[in-house]
Amino acid sequence: PEAKPAEEVKKVLTYVERAAQCTHPLSKRLFSIMQEKRTNLALSADVNTAAELIQMADSIGPYICVLKTHIDIIEDFSADLIQKLSSLAAKHNFIIFEDRKFADIGNTVKQQYGGGMYRISEWADIINAHAVPGPGIIQGLKEVGATKNRACLMLAQMSSKGTLAKDTYTAESVKMAEGNKDFVIGFICTEKLSSDPAMLHMTPGVQLSAGVDGLGQQYLTPQEVITNRESDVIIVGRGITQSANPMQAAKEYQEAGFLAYQALFN
Amino acid sequence: PEAKPAEEVKKVLTYVERAAQCTHPLSKRLFSIMQEKRTNLALSADVNTAAELIQMADSIGPYICVLKTHIDIIEDFSADLIQKLSSLAAKHNFIIFEDRKFADIGNTVKQQYGGGMYRISEWADIINAHAVPGPGIIQGLKEVGATKNRACLMLAQMSSKGTLAKDTYTAESVKMAEGNKDFVIGFICTEKLSSDPAMLHMTPGVQLSAGVDGLGQQYLTPQEVITNRESDVIIVGRGITQSANPMQAAKEYQEAGFLAYQALFN
């Protein structure tokens, strides 16, 4: 075949190649899990009891690279839940991402991350933060999480209708992330935002059929997210948790996401 | 004295006049408390144990119109704490504002507001929300809070350095609030944003001396906030909680804030 002009040859890197470029242990580990388990699926485990969360983590665990929690919607939270979740993360080799969406000034998020009933920094590998308070939020979270080798994702875009995370806001968020790569390992976003192969892109609002919910959530398909938006991880919630057969649904999302990844090299 | 030209006569309304213009019971009640207790001071009660929070609410309660909590930084949260806080709110006639800074899509904030360990909607008169997810966040919160006569403040500006809540972001937040006045009764802001006398303006980051903390928080004085920024409520945290004599400090902030309000009529 004829050689393409240089600007058209966009080299896509494999998970293995990207893991090799990561300096943060968590992004390195995540890319390695994605390769080993052949999955770019994150489960948004939005259930309301500890028993459901544990059951979901154990049954869906084999198919995911990341378990995303909202610990503050669990009615019967306890230290026992955390202990069981951590065991399941080890058993099934996934990373725990508490989707706290920290959004306060540095001095406050420090206390919310390290303290309170949830002591999020003690068990969540990854948390995320909104950029709206300015860089102090990252400084505050880093003071708690960095020594524990935790990491943060910057919310640079959202999947919801009418989001203000766009244009300048998104650009400022990316800058904030790129200035703190010792702690911020990537983005919550709806498309690829950084050319640094060590930076992760994780996209929420994914279902096998595009559409909307009644409260402004907008869905993209796995293929759209991986192929066209060039994101790395698909975050699926209700498409799995509200399926009649969540395990079967998880397998389908895993397959759809990984096939889309493999097709990048064709 | 000579009559001023019409455009220079900016009629400042009293708390009593503003209460009369409110259609939401919570804003009406808040303006009435402000008049009755002669205070526009909100205490940001950022302590880490239930005992400290109860002690603070009881000792500072007489001087404030609003007690602002971060319930998720309390290490030993329990239903008993909520019961005691509610009793103290009745005893001292203040409103409880949980500074949760909701910041997720509608379907998630519904669960975070109504469920989990904290069941915030059952005890917090007021909560607040970031505008970044778009209007779905207000719809979701409203589905939980409206029937309970709860209310929401929109985070339209922040006090922290480098905040992205400015310009278009602030303007869009104000629009979102003004389109939902049955539930959104005002703003967290650094200056007056709405000419509707029923809308409350509450300003964080207030200390008797201007300055900054080590994580980007920027302080304004009570007089600057009430006189020049034309806000209604001063939110004071560390200026009181970290004072050697918190009760004396609260009295000083109450007096400074109320004197600035009274001076608006001179």
Side-chain angles (χ1 to χ4, degrees), chain B residues 180-193:
Chain B
N180 292 281
K181 287 185 183 174
D182 54 338
F183 184 59
V184 181
I185 61 169
F187 305 96
I188 299 296
C189 54
T190 57
E191 64 191 333
K192 183 178 176 181
L193 297 172

Side-chain angles (χ1 to χ4, degrees), chain A residues 48 70 72-73 100-101 103-105 107-108 111 116-117 130 132-134 143 160 162-164 215 217 238, chain B residues 48 70 72-75 100-101 103-105 107-108 111 116 130 132-134 143 160 162-164 215 217 238:
Chain A
N48 300 116
H70 282 298
D72 62 344
I73 68 170
R100 173 58 177 78
K101 293 186 171 65
D104 214 313
I105 63 171
N107 187 59
T108 299
Q111 300 173 68
M117 291 290 279
H130 276 296
V132 57
E143 286 186 9
S160 45
T163 175
L164 305 183
L215 291 169
Q217 174 69 309
R238 286 171 268 176
Chain B
N48 300 115
H70 282 298
D72 63 344
I73 68 170
I74 303 291
E75 288 157 16
R100 174 57 178 77
K101 292 187 173 66
D104 214 312
I105 64 171
N107 186 61
T108 299
Q111 301 173 68
H130 276 295
V132 58
E143 286 187 10
S160 43
T163 176
L164 306 183
L215 290 168
Q217 173 70 306
R238 285 170 268 176

